[in-house]
Amino acid sequence: MTTSTASKRRNAAMAASVPRPGSARQHEVTRLLPRPLLAIILVFLGALVLIPVLYIFLASVNSDIGVANGEFWPSTVTLQNYSSIWTSVGLATGLTNSVLVAGATAVVSAAMSVSTAFVLVRYSFRGRLTILRGLLALQSVPGTLMVLPVFVLFSSAATYLGIQVIGTQWGLFVTYLTFAMPFSTWVMVTYLRGLPRELEEAARIDGASNVGVLFRIILPLSWPGIVVSGIFAFLLGWNDVLFASVMTRPESQTAAVALQIFGASQEGGAIPFYGQMMAAALVCAAPVVILYLIFQRYLVGGLTAGGVK
């Protein structure tokens, strides 16, 4: 009895000494830097990001002369720049086209990548490894090398098939989808590998088909990965300037192209419209920030390895 009691006490002491998940003691064990040094680094990194954003905002509410004189704090605060960009930059048309094209790319890419990744992860067939390796290889191809082939291909479609692709929104959508699909599929392949197979086997025992397993088991568990792949596809279309400047016309140009054209038109002038450029940059960045704030909890879950614990 004495030996048993001593053993129980020793086991209890060992269990108490192990840090519990999420406890303050575990954070102390896993922290690599001392607390003061960690605080200094975090403050430095935060200032490195927030100070330029603060300057852009202050310049957007300042006059062009004040920005040209190097004023950090505006001497006169005005919101005229935010009302002028809708006519001078043509931002309304650009934002509408960007939302439509990038949004469609995100939705279609995320939807297609789930089904594609499900087949690549759960089934074995000839050429499966080749496809997976090809998905990785496509990420190393620079976009600048693909501009001319894509332009020639779409121009040939208009010549030989009578289908106008250059200058249309759907042509830009197809271009973005071509580059977004490999990355989105690889993200979903990595995520689906972390999902337990037991859930799918249980569903099949209950009589679920492959489509039923995909819609009833895989999709509800894969929302973090789907959001990650969709947002990265959205950012691909939202931030692109190279393909959008070649594949669009004035009525179909995106917000990034509108900003580029507006910035280039200010070169050589007496005093460029600094305030309007800063205001337009903030307006174009706002949808991405809002998107991140809405889906941030899915992003954290989708970017962690394993996905489901």
Side-chain angles (χ1 to χ4, degrees):
M1 295 295 294
T2 305
T3 304
S4 177
T5 304
S7 177
K8 291 180 179 180
R9 291 178 178 176
R10 183 170 59 256
N11 292 337
M14 293 176 61
S17 62
V18 176
R20 296 180 179 179
S23 62
R25 188 173 180 181
Q26 185 191 31
H27 293 301
E28 292 292 338
V29 172
T30 56
R31 182 181 291 119
L32 300 178
L33 298 176
R35 186 183 295 272
L37 181 59
L38 181 63
I40 293 174
I41 293 177
L42 291 178
V43 171
F44 173 75
L45 293 177
L48 197 65
V49 174
L50 295 178
I51 290 178
V53 176
L54 177 62
Y55 175 76
I56 293 175
F57 172 73
L58 294 177
S60 67
V61 296
N62 197 358
S63 62
D64 298 326
I65 297 177
V67 178
N69 290 332
E71 296 180 356
F72 185 83
W73 298 102
S75 55
T76 57
V77 177
T78 177
L79 298 178
Q80 181 64 32
N81 296 322
Y82 286 93
S83 60
S84 300
I85 57 177
W86 303 105
T87 55
S88 59
V89 184
L91 205 57
T93 303
L95 285 176
T96 302
N97 293 328
S98 292
V99 170
L100 291 176
V101 175
T105 303
V107 173
V108 175
S109 177
M112 294 179 62
S113 64
V114 176
S115 56
T116 306
F118 177 68
V119 174
L120 292 174
V121 172
R122 293 296 190 252
Y123 297 95
S124 297
F125 52 91
R126 182 175 298 179
R128 173 177 171 272
L129 292 179
T130 303
I131 295 175
L132 290 174
R133 291 167 182 167
L135 293 176
L136 286 178
L138 288 174
Q139 306 303 315
S140 61
V141 179
T144 53
L145 295 180
M146 301 300 296
V147 174
L148 183 59
V150 170
F151 182 81
V152 172
L153 178 63
F154 286 173
S155 298
S156 301
T159 302
Y160 296 103
L161 301 178
I163 301 175
Q164 184 63 37
V165 182
I166 303 296
T168 61
Q169 294 178 344
W170 71 270
L172 193 60
F173 159 73
V174 173
T175 304
Y176 291 157
L177 188 63
T178 304
F179 293 95
M181 271 297 298
F183 180 80
S184 298
T185 303
W186 186 254
V187 169
M188 292 309 304
V189 165
T190 306
Y191 189 86
L192 292 185
R193 282 175 175 172
L195 296 181
R197 292 177 178 266
E198 290 78 7
L199 297 175
E200 302 173 29
E201 295 173 357
R204 285 193 170 90
I205 292 175
D206 292 337
S209 61
N210 294 331
V211 178
V213 170
L214 176 61
F215 282 95
R216 297 180 182 179
I217 304 299
I218 298 300
L219 283 180
L221 295 177
S222 303
W223 275 115
I226 294 172
V227 170
V228 169
S229 61
I231 287 181
F232 275 99
F234 181 86
L235 293 177
L236 173 67
W238 189 268
N239 296 327
D240 174 70
V241 178
L242 180 63
F243 287 93
S245 60
V246 175
M247 304 287 295
T248 59
R249 295 175 179 175
E251 63 273 9
S252 61
Q253 66 184 12
T254 60
V257 177
L259 284 178
Q260 182 192 40
I261 295 175
F262 180 72
S265 64
Q266 304 303 310
E267 297 180 0
I271 298 180
F273 296 143
Y274 292 114
Q276 294 186 31
M277 286 191 287
M278 299 300 181
L282 286 179
V283 171
C284 291
V288 178
V289 176
I290 295 173
L291 195 67
Y292 171 77
L293 293 177
I294 294 174
F295 295 106
Q296 60 177 334
R297 65 188 185 96
Y298 292 104
L299 286 171
V300 174
L303 292 174
T304 53
V308 177
K309 304 299 180 183

